């Protein structure tokens, strides 16, 4: 792979993509940010290109001259393969050898939806990695539904019961992604990426209470009530249903696990939630 070619970073303005760009830039690599609203032009430093999963005419220009691709699927699309597979075939046809896909710990290769994209990447590209991160610590910051609920009502509402999740810092996911894109030897594997410990949402609320000095609690509701809340909040019903089902899976212990992937790939331990909260902007 030529070191002078930029990496195309889809979702490059988002939670992991922006951090992947930062890691690549810090290690001397060029990036091209794929976004629906570019504000700088191709060929310049920190270049951006107009890219929309739903607009295939934007795909070939985004891929032109790139050395590898970080893939963030179209957010909330129940059938991401429909737009991603033609793009992946085009990328391979353009000679791109290495891609790194952002998946999810909740989605396995045998699943439908994004699982189909995992399988296609493995089949199409000689150099690949699928990242399967646990839930992001950043879900408790910014405009995320949990962050708003904490700010407005001092509570986190889920259908997870006492189930535990090994929340992970998006920066640790990005560090793994950058290594998967640039290591001399391709990873050619799926990385299950977690933080250092599995925590219940009540544990999360207790840490937030301690750090912010504001009482914050976890309230667990049923899966159907959760789905209705998310649809009322503006999510399309299939996506709300999927997220509520994921909560129910957490309640049964599906995410109660840790992996050593961050340390194995980057050489340093993943950040704990307490460390994250200590430096996060929770306003
Ligand atoms: N949050 C979690 O706990 C968690 C856990 C595991 C996995 N994940 C995975 O992380 C991904 C989403 O993360 P996030 O919610 O933090 O989102 P995000 O990465 O912050 O934001 C979405 C990004 O996607 C881009 N985008 C949105 N619609 C697009 C379209 N039609 N075409 C091209 N680009 C588009 C946006 O770019 P522009 O607006 O600039 O165009 C933005 O950069 C999902 O695939 C999810 O499965 C999340």
């Amino acid at each position: 792979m030529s070191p002078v070619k930029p990496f195309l970073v889809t979702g490059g303005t988002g939670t992991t993509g922006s951090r992947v760009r930062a890691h690549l830039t810090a290690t001397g690599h060029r990036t091209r940010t794929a976004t629906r609203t570019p504000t700088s032009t191709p060929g310049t430093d920190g270049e951006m290109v107009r890219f929309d999963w739903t607009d295939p005419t934007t795909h070939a220009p985004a891929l032109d001259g790139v050395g590898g691709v970080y893939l963030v699927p179209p957010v909330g699309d129940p059938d991401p393969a429909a737009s991603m597979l033609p793009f992946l075939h085009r990328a391979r046809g353009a000679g791109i050898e290495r891609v790194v896909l952002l998946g999810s710990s909740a989605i396995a290769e045998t699943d439908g939806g994004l699982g189909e994209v995992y399988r296609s990447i493995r089949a199409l590209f000689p150099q690949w990695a699928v990242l399967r991160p646990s839930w992001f610590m950043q879900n408790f910051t910014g405009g995320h539904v949990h962050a708003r609920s904490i700010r407005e009502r001092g509570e986190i509402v889920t259908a997870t019961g006492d189930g535990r999740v090994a929340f992970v810092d998006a920066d640790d996911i990005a560090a793994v992604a950058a290594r998967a894109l640039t290591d001399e030897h391709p990873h050619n594997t799926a990385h299950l990426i977690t933080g250092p410990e599995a925590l219940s949402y009540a544990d999360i609320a207790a840490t937030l209470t301690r750090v912010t000095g504001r009482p914050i609690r976890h309230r667990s509701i049923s899966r159907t009530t959760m789905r209705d809340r998310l649809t009322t909040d503006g999510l399309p019903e299939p996506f709300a249903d999927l997220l509520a089902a994921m909560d129910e899976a957490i309640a049964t212990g599906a995410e109660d696990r840790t992996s050593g992937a961050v340390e194995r790939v980057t050489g340093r331990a993943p950040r704990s939630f307490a460390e994250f909260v200590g430096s996060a902007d929770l306003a």
Side-chain angles (χ1 to χ4, degrees):
M1 194 184 311
S2 165
V4 296
K5 289 183 176 177
F7 289 99
L8 180 69
V9 182
T10 68
T13 58
T15 312
T16 62
S18 60
R19 291 170 171 84
V20 170
R21 286 196 291 115
H23 279 274
L24 290 171
T25 305
T27 48
H29 297 277
R30 283 177 59 202
T31 64
R32 178 184 296 167
T33 302
T35 170
R36 289 164 297 175
T37 52
T39 53
S40 75
T41 47
T44 61
D45 261 1
E47 71 185 71
M48 292 182 159
V49 65
R50 194 171 92 74
F51 177 79
D52 189 333
W53 284 115
T54 65
D55 179 359
T57 66
T58 64
H59 295 185
L63 286 166
D64 186 32
V66 303
V69 186
Y70 178 67
L71 293 157
V72 175
V75 178
D77 184 343
D79 183 20
S83 57
M84 293 188 79
L85 263 47
F87 176 82
L88 293 172
H89 281 279
R90 189 184 284 276
R92 190 66 197 109
I96 290 165
E97 302 210 317
R98 189 175 296 201
V99 298
V100 173
L101 169 70
L102 178 69
S104 162
S105 61
I107 299 166
E109 190 173 313
T110 48
D111 288 340
L114 200 57
E116 188 182 349
V117 182
Y118 293 5
R119 297 192 291 278
S120 301
I121 276 180
R122 179 198 278 268
L124 272 174
F125 291 89
Q127 304 182 11
W128 60 276
V130 172
L131 311 184
R132 295 184 56 218
S134 182
W135 270 244
F136 300 172
M137 293 178 182
Q138 277 74 9
N139 292 352
F140 302 100
T141 64
H144 193 276
V145 60
H146 291 325
R148 281 189 278 121
S149 170
I150 289 167
R151 279 196 298 271
E152 290 161 17
R153 289 178 297 282
E155 65 176 10
I156 306 167
V157 182
T158 75
T160 61
D162 297 327
R164 299 196 302 170
V165 177
F167 292 93
V168 61
D169 184 347
D171 195 62
D172 287 329
I173 302 167
V176 173
R179 290 295 299 262
L181 284 165
T182 62
D183 277 350
E184 187 182 346
H185 296 293
H187 293 195
N188 290 359
T189 192
H191 292 295
L192 179 68
I193 304 176
T194 73
E197 57 187 339
L199 300 168
S200 69
Y201 277 89
D203 296 331
I204 293 287
T207 299
L208 289 168
T209 299
R210 196 172 62 247
V211 173
T212 64
R214 275 187 61 209
I216 296 162
R217 68 182 188 128
H218 173 229
R219 182 158 62 91
S220 192
I221 58 178
S222 72
R223 172 181 167 171
T224 45
T225 311
M226 188 69 203
R227 184 203 55 206
D228 295 346
R229 267 179 76 91
L230 292 170
T231 41
T232 306
D233 213 47
L235 293 191
E237 191 161 336
F239 191 40
D241 203 34
L242 177 72
L243 292 179
M246 286 178 173
D247 266 14
E248 191 174 61
I250 290 169
T252 63
E255 294 291 333
D256 193 349
R257 59 187 168 181
T258 56
S259 80
V262 172
E263 184 143 24
R264 206 164 48 244
V265 173
T266 70
R268 59 169 182 76
R271 207 139 73 119
S272 71
F273 187 67
E275 287 169 321
F276 170 78
V277 170
S279 61
D281 181 6
L282 301 170

